[in-house]
Amino acid sequence: MDSDSDDEWYDEEANQSRNRLRNMDLQQGANTESLHDTPESWFHEGLEINRYEFIRTENVCVLRPFLYRDIFSAFDENKLTKQPDMYKRCMIKILSMEEAVCFPEENKHMKINISGRENCGQTYTDDVVYVKISNKGEPQEDKKYYGEVVSFIDRNRFKNISHPVFVCLIDRRQSHLMIPICKTIPKINILHGRLAKKYPERLRTSVEIHKHDSATNDLKFHKYHNITEGDKENWLFIVVLLKWKLTNIHPLGAVLGVVHSSKDIEEGLTLISYQNNLPLWFDYPSVDEIKELRDDLQAPGYQDITKTDKIFTIAGIEESFINHGFSIRKMTKNRVRVGIHVTDVSKVVHKDDDLDIHARSRGFSFHSSNTAHNKLMLPDHINNLCSLEPGRRRYAISVFFDIDQTEPSNIHVTEKTISRTVMRSSAHYNYIEVENIINNQDIIDDIFADDIKILFLLSKKLKFQRLQMESFTSPISVDFTTTDGIMKTKKAHSLVEEYLVLANNTIGSILTQNFPMNVPVFHPLQMARDSKNKQREWYFLHKYFAHLLCSKQEEIIEEKGKLSLVNALPSPYYLYHRLADPSSMSENDEDVNIDIEKRLFVPIQSNVLDQIVRNVQIDRTIDEAIELICSDFVHPKQGLALKEWQSFEPSHQYRMSVLHRENPAVQFTCPLSRYCDIIIHRLIHAYLDEKNTPYDFTELRTICAYLNTLLKKTNDFNLQYKELVFSNYLKQQPIIFQGFVSHVSREKYDIFIPGLQDTMTKSCVCKI
């Protein structure tokens, strides 16, 4: 008989189970560990663990039999010389549970695909390994190389660390699996034997937390941590790797702490910083040292322009300090003088002093969506002393350009001057305010409104001279880490970018003429021959759309010529007939009109075309229509072609000028945020004083190599931070994205999502 009586709930087994669950729930309030109690050294040096004694006390379930190849045994290196097409010395990058790619050291633009966990071996991302290429070293039918890792050579991440510590996300389906956000390894199988034995019903919603005893180097069970299915992605876990057996597909690990990233994004940000081995905190100078930094701004050699030049500054809302400012003065009827004024940090931070050494070790500043979370290269008192705040006199290096507008359609930069100045900003704007001024919205009567509009009009002409048709390209980017991002303020960003590029190129040209070998320039690596082959293959696959890419106009492809709208190939009509008409039609149909077939067809999505037409019909200008037309990622064919191009396009790095003589560009406009800019400032002083460079070649080359390493870490950090903020935003407010199918196979199809190309979620895989 059914009954609602409470007496039926008081059997011993049910009561014990309820008590256990109640005890677990009571612990939940105290489950989150504070990063202040987590030593930063864990993430850099790992842990010492008496793992054998501890592991024997745990019962860890094995999902299925598995056996890795022993890649740590000796390898016959003669195979490299006897069969160079089959065996390569490579660096591996883990992409997912079942996929990795390897880049041969002799040809870093060649890519070898590794499919299957057993073929990847017990490797970390950035490990140096020997790879055997299948198909006797020849590409497969899809023109890609495939292979397997056959031997381990050296480790770059967590080298000589037996028990590294990772920041992880929890697997959506299996709560005993953790996914390191740095992608060093795919997953870690955490200790969960106690949970499986006592609370099997909580395996999907609870995690065991352990504590490390620094005295005995033992791990001891501490407590349970409860999570809900809908909240899994908001938790970041601190996980130590214990052991990786050949018979285990995943290494064994243990959770040491947990942070709720959406409730405390600062701690999530700090965890990501730790994981990327980025230093966060400063050893601040003493009060006496700070007093010594106070300047009277009466140093010889600096020209006082506080009364002659009206200067204003522009910076992002999230930026804590201001690096540069702008001015414009009318000289004659058709000639203006534009000034770019950059704070002179080298006047305060001297070569090889303590502040310089600290700044060099950090290399870059990072600006987050909350200024309180910014991680800065220099300590606050230096930033305050140098930041171009309105009304404050500051040391600066100013670059002046005389621009002749006698020919309205073709302006000329007639004179370029570099000066040491003492300046004072009269106003500061963020990008939204500048955008509003350019668009005649809100603050159109501002004191600098006319100057900003004139500078914008000049910047458009300068940009067209520099990039020609490429200047019309319009970026597509989704970024929730900034309030005044480029999608909201394209014109303001374009204005600032153009004058900073002009200043950087001018400084680079002058310095490389005076110090030909000893200038750190910032340029993409030279494209290797394999990448040039990929260029030609890319052109063959996308020849009907390659010339339509606005962002690649004037790009030279070996043996194929220049990408340009004027060189665009007439598209076969049958391609587009199929898009509009479901009836069958082949390339050889005799009734195809020859005149129609010679026309240039450009595929545009109907909703995009409707928006273009509305902009032209309603708006007084066609700027927004041009923006849609020239946004490569808005159009499926162009977007997929550009995505594939970017996969082999060389990245920018710091290099010595002797290796790059053509169009040398430096970075000098953000010395509060980039260490290399401070180096350039010191070289400018040497040039103005007609002295020798303060750096020798070997020293600068070493600094460039170190900054390139930091740059990669910083870029990874930025990427992971964007993911963190983006995921938290989606939890609160889901968004519908438009995607394009980029690849189809029998097992799956890949979808590319425009706007997310700068994040790890730029594409998704759907299994059939």
Side-chain angles (χ1 to χ4, degrees), residues 411-439:
I411 62 175
H412 300 277
V413 179
T414 58
E415 188 175 341
K416 304 173 184 178
T417 308
I418 305 174
S419 301
R420 286 180 286 225
T421 59
V422 174
M423 56 148 287
R424 179 168 52 213
S425 168
S426 299
H428 175 69
Y429 304 90
N430 59 49
Y431 284 104
I432 292 177
E433 292 168 337
V434 173
E435 189 80 8
N436 288 337
I437 289 174
I438 294 173
N439 293 327

Side-chain angles (χ1 to χ4, degrees), residues 3-213:
S3 172
D4 293 330
S5 171
D6 288 341
D7 292 338
E8 292 193 4
W9 291 91
Y10 281 98
D11 64 12
E12 183 178 356
E13 183 177 353
N15 192 42
Q16 289 178 351
S17 177
R18 275 202 310 278
N19 287 336
R20 288 197 301 266
L21 297 180
R22 186 180 297 112
N23 290 335
M24 291 178 65
D25 291 334
L26 290 174
Q27 292 180 7
Q28 183 66 27
N31 266 350
T32 301
E33 305 292 330
S34 172
L35 285 183
H36 299 294
D37 300 326
T38 304
E40 184 178 347
S41 60
W42 283 10
F43 300 91
H44 306 328
E45 303 168 8
L47 287 174
E48 291 292 331
I49 296 178
N50 187 357
R51 56 179 178 173
Y52 298 105
E53 178 182 349
F54 178 73
I55 292 176
R56 284 199 298 270
T57 66
E58 292 290 338
N59 179 24
V60 181
C61 58
V62 178
L63 296 178
R64 63 183 177 89
F66 190 86
L67 182 64
Y68 279 110
R69 173 201 296 269
D70 184 8
I71 62 173
F72 299 98
S73 58
F75 176 75
D76 183 6
E77 296 189 3
N78 290 327
K79 293 180 178 179
L80 290 175
T81 54
K82 293 180 180 179
Q83 298 174 292
D85 293 334
M86 285 185 61
Y87 291 92
K88 303 286 184 181
R89 180 184 171 112
C90 303
M91 181 173 288
I92 190 170
K93 180 180 180 181
I94 306 296
L95 298 180
S96 67
M97 178 64 194
E98 298 289 340
E99 291 182 308
V101 291
C102 288
F103 301 94
E105 289 185 346
E106 64 185 28
N107 183 0
K108 293 184 179 180
H109 297 281
M110 177 184 180
K111 184 168 71 173
I112 304 170
N113 298 277
I114 312 294
S115 297
R117 182 92 290 273
E118 59 277 6
N119 291 329
C120 298
Q122 295 170 296
T123 56
Y124 292 1
T125 287
D126 293 339
D127 277 358
V128 182
V129 295
Y130 288 124
V131 173
K132 180 182 179 182
I133 302 177
S134 57
N135 198 29
K136 296 182 180 180
E138 296 296 325
Q140 302 284 2
E141 293 181 0
D142 58 2
K143 298 184 179 180
K144 296 181 179 179
Y145 293 94
Y146 293 87
E148 60 178 323
V149 175
V150 294
S151 185
F152 170 85
I153 302 173
D154 196 13
R155 181 146 288 163
N156 288 310
R157 297 189 183 184
F158 305 106
K159 188 172 184 177
N160 299 323
I161 298 177
S162 300
H163 306 291
V165 177
F166 299 92
V167 179
C168 300
L169 296 170
I170 193 168
D171 187 272
R172 293 181 180 179
R173 297 180 179 85
Q174 297 173 299
S175 296
H176 65 279
L177 294 179
M178 294 289 168
I179 305 171
I181 60 175
C182 60
K183 291 192 174 182
T184 300
I185 48 180
K187 295 181 181 181
I188 300 174
N189 183 15
I190 60 170
L191 296 173
H192 61 286
R194 186 185 302 267
L195 187 64
K197 182 178 179 181
K198 291 189 175 183
Y199 311 106
E201 67 275 20
R202 286 291 187 98
L203 275 174
R204 287 183 58 85
T205 57
S206 296
V207 172
E208 291 184 20
I209 307 293
H210 298 77
K211 275 200 169 182
H212 178 252
D213 188 332

Side-chain angles (χ1 to χ4, degrees), residues 615-628:
N615 287 334
V616 172
Q617 291 175 340
I618 299 173
D619 234 338
R620 289 177 296 177
T621 69
I622 61 170
D623 285 351
E624 292 186 12
I626 293 175
E627 184 178 301
L628 283 170

Side-chain angles (χ1 to χ4, degrees), residues 709-720:
T709 302
L710 280 182
L711 182 63
K712 184 179 184 305
K713 290 182 179 180
T714 304
N715 289 339
D716 291 342
F717 173 69
N718 290 335
L719 185 64
Q720 292 161 13

Side-chain angles (χ1 to χ4, degrees), residues 341-582:
H341 313 275
V342 181
T343 181
D344 187 3
V345 177
S346 65
K347 187 71 174 66
V348 179
V349 180
H350 304 292
K351 186 176 182 293
D352 295 330
D353 66 10
D354 288 341
L355 285 171
D356 185 55
I357 293 171
H358 280 299
R360 185 189 306 176
S361 69
R362 283 155 179 77
F364 303 90
S365 290
F366 169 77
H367 301 281
S368 71
S369 55
N370 186 331
T371 54
H373 302 161
N374 289 348
K375 310 303 177 187
L376 304 176
M377 181 181 72
L378 294 165
D380 286 348
H381 66 279
I382 296 296
N383 289 316
N384 285 320
L385 190 64
C386 297
S387 179
L388 303 183
E389 302 294 336
R392 300 293 183 90
R393 289 162 59 90
R394 292 289 186 258
Y395 284 119
I397 294 178
S398 300
V399 185
F400 295 98
F401 304 95
D402 283 10
I403 299 179
D404 190 338
Q405 305 179 80
T406 304
E407 302 176 42
S409 61
N410 188 22
I411 62 175
H412 300 277
V413 179
T414 58
E415 188 175 341
K416 304 173 184 178
T417 308
I418 305 174
S419 301
R420 286 180 286 225
T421 59
V422 174
M423 56 148 287
R424 179 168 52 213
S425 168
S426 299
H428 175 69
Y429 304 90
N430 59 49
Y431 284 104
I432 292 177
E433 292 168 337
V434 173
E435 189 80 8
N436 288 337
I437 289 174
I438 294 173
N439 293 327
N440 292 318
Q441 297 174 357
D442 298 338
I443 49 178
I444 58 176
D445 58 344
D446 186 88
I447 184 175
F448 283 105
D450 291 338
D451 288 354
I452 290 173
K453 292 175 184 177
I454 294 172
L455 284 171
F456 174 67
L457 293 175
L458 292 175
S459 71
K460 289 178 66 176
K461 296 178 180 180
L462 289 170
K463 189 172 185 178
F464 182 77
Q465 284 186 349
R466 181 171 64 92
L467 299 176
Q468 296 297 309
M469 288 300 296
E470 187 183 344
S471 65
F472 293 108
T473 189
S474 183
I476 300 293
S477 177
V478 178
D479 186 1
F480 294 99
T481 63
T482 178
T483 308
D484 51 359
I486 193 169
M487 290 299 293
K488 301 177 184 177
T489 56
K490 293 180 181 179
K491 294 177 181 177
H493 273 86
S494 178
L495 182 156
V496 172
E497 177 190 15
E498 196 55 38
Y499 290 112
L500 297 189
V501 167
L502 181 60
N504 285 328
N505 289 345
T506 299
I507 295 294
S509 177
I510 291 173
L511 291 183
T512 51
Q513 289 176 17
N514 287 270
F515 311 117
M517 297 180 63
N518 268 27
V519 179
V521 298
F522 191 66
H523 271 282
L525 295 173
Q526 187 173 1
M527 188 170 285
R529 176 149 298 279
D530 182 67
S531 289
K532 292 181 179 179
N533 292 336
K534 288 182 179 179
Q535 266 193 346
R536 291 191 290 270
E537 293 174 3
W538 173 88
Y539 183 81
F540 177 77
L541 292 173
H542 303 282
K543 59 185 177 181
Y544 294 121
F545 311 101
H547 295 282
L548 305 181
L549 293 180
C550 287
S551 59
K552 294 302 168 188
Q553 294 294 300
E554 311 300 317
E555 191 81 37
I556 303 296
I557 296 183
E558 195 174 81
E559 299 178 6
K560 300 298 180 181
K562 181 169 63 176
L563 295 183
S564 174
L565 288 172
V566 298
N567 296 333
L569 301 176
S571 306
Y573 176 66
Y574 73 93
L575 290 178
Y576 305 102
H577 184 87
R578 282 204 296 264
L579 293 176
D581 187 349

